[in-house]
């Protein structure tokens, strides 16, 4: 049995090992064949030479990550040690490149096989529909692709839109002017962007209209050239509303339409534009449909159980 020692003199042990060695436990789980022992300013590993070499290389990458970004979380460790991992068996095969280096070193990537299919499909098609239940990363992954395209100068602007359909609330009774009434509907889009761009940069982009976040009704009459446009919550559009959005597509643009057909807030007698689109657009070259399922859920582990419970009950899904 061989031994390898790695000094961490230039780091605070708590930053690397985590509270109560939580980070170190994640590392140990990735290297079951070696024994790992931590001390105040170094870490020792015992095992076969080949395993120790792999451990040293990967542990050094964790230190470099902290040195660059000033943070090291359990999620960071999992992604750095095993890029295909998302905590479930439904992972991609290692080809899933990082989409965006987010704020504070957050690594944003397609984390499941189906999310990777979404990324690949968007590279091959100018219009992609992505359909799946809550928590599967539909919007988040799409926004990450849009931010990447903007950073790579593949597009000149990002357009993010949602239908302002009430989900049990009465929009008219909300306080404030029109913008203040509508902003809560747009908040998930702001949240996603907030993970991916520095605050001042995001505010500047919004002020310069490089990034637009607006209700779907504001899209009428426009042509979106050189844009990456995302329609979120498309299950709450009517067929005519969805047609209106799709016909905004201009030259050199990418469109992604996301939605969850189990969470439709339209009146009972109104057909969803997203369901309608599956029937009439499915066989058109350049348009693709990507489906995510429960195995793609990357929120809290209980979200999948909640979805199952509501599905079995036959009741209305929660968001």
């Amino acid at each position: 049995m061989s031994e390898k020692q790695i000094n961490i003199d230039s780091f605070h042990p708590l930053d690397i090992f985590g509270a109560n060695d939580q980070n170190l436990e994640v590392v140990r789980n990735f290297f079951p064949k070696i024994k790992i022992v931590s001390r105040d300013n170094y870490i020792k590993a015992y095992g076969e030479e080949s395993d120790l070499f792999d451990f040293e290389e990967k542990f050094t990458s964790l230190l470099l990550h902290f040195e660059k970004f000033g943070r090291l979380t359990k999620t960071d460790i999992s992604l750095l040690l095993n890029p295909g991992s998302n905590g479930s068996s439904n992972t991609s095969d290692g080809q899933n490149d990082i989409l965006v280096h987010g704020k504070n070193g957050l690594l944003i990537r397609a984390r499941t096989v189906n999310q990777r299919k979404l990324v690949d499909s968007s590279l091959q098609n100018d219009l992609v529909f992505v359909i799946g239940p809550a928590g599967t990363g539909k919007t988040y992954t799409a926004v990450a692709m849009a931010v990447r395209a903007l950073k790579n100068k593949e597009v000149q602007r990002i357009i993010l839109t949602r239908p302002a359909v009430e989900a049990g609330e009465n929009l008219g009774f909300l306080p404030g002017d029109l913008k203040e009434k509508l902003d809560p509907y747009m908040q998930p889009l702001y949240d996603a962007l907030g993970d991916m761009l520095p605050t001042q940069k995001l505010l500047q982009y919004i002020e310069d209209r490089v990034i637009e976040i607006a209700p779907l009704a504001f899209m009428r009459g426009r042509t979106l050239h050189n844009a990456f446009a995302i329609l979120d919550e498309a299950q709450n559009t009517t067929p005519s509303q969805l047609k209106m959005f799709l016909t905004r597509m201009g030259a050199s643009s990418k469109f992604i339409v996301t939605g969850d057909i189990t969470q439709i807030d339209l009146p009972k007698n109104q057909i969803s534009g997203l369901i309608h689109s599956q029937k009439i657009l499915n066989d058109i070259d350049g348009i693709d449909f990507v489906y995510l399922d429960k195995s793609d859920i990357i929120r809290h582990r209980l979200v999948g159980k909640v979805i199952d419970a509501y599905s079995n009950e036959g009741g209305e899904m929660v968001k």
Side-chain angles (χ1 to χ4, degrees), residues 1-6 31 34-38 42-48 51-53 55-56:
M1 180 177 289
S2 301
E3 173 186 322
K4 178 68 68 176
Q5 177 172 310
I6 301 175
F31 297 96
I34 62 179
K35 180 181 179 181
I36 301 172
V37 179
S38 65
Y42 66 88
I43 188 169
K44 278 189 177 183
Y46 304 88
E48 297 298 325
D51 294 327
L52 292 177
F53 178 82
F55 167 73
E56 181 180 29

Side-chain angles (χ1 to χ4, degrees), residues 84-147:
S85 173
N86 76 324
S88 74
S89 61
N90 183 24
T91 59
S92 59
D93 58 8
Q95 298 177 359
N96 55 343
D97 299 331
I98 295 169
L99 295 173
V100 179
H101 286 276
K103 288 170 58 177
N104 301 318
L106 182 64
L107 300 174
I108 299 169
R109 67 175 83 223
R111 293 171 58 186
T112 72
V113 170
N114 289 327
Q115 288 180 7
R116 185 69 230 178
K117 286 180 181 177
L118 168 57
V119 174
D120 291 341
S121 179
S122 182
L123 293 174
Q124 299 167 16
N125 301 278
D126 287 338
L127 172 56
V128 178
F129 291 80
V130 53
I131 299 172
T136 51
K138 302 181 299 295
T139 303
Y140 200 81
T141 305
V143 172
M145 288 189 290
V147 171

Side-chain angles (χ1 to χ4, degrees), residues 161-180:
T161 186
R162 297 177 122 200
V165 173
E166 299 159 335
E169 302 91 359
N170 190 324
L171 182 64
F173 286 100
L174 291 175
D177 58 21
L178 179 61
K179 182 180 184 303
E180 291 169 328

Side-chain angles (χ1 to χ4, degrees), residues 22-39:
Q22 290 181 3
N23 288 354
L24 191 58
E25 282 304 310
V26 177
V27 174
R28 285 177 174 140
N29 288 337
F30 276 100
F31 297 96
K33 294 182 180 180
I34 62 179
K35 180 181 179 181
I36 301 172
V37 179
S38 65
R39 294 292 182 263

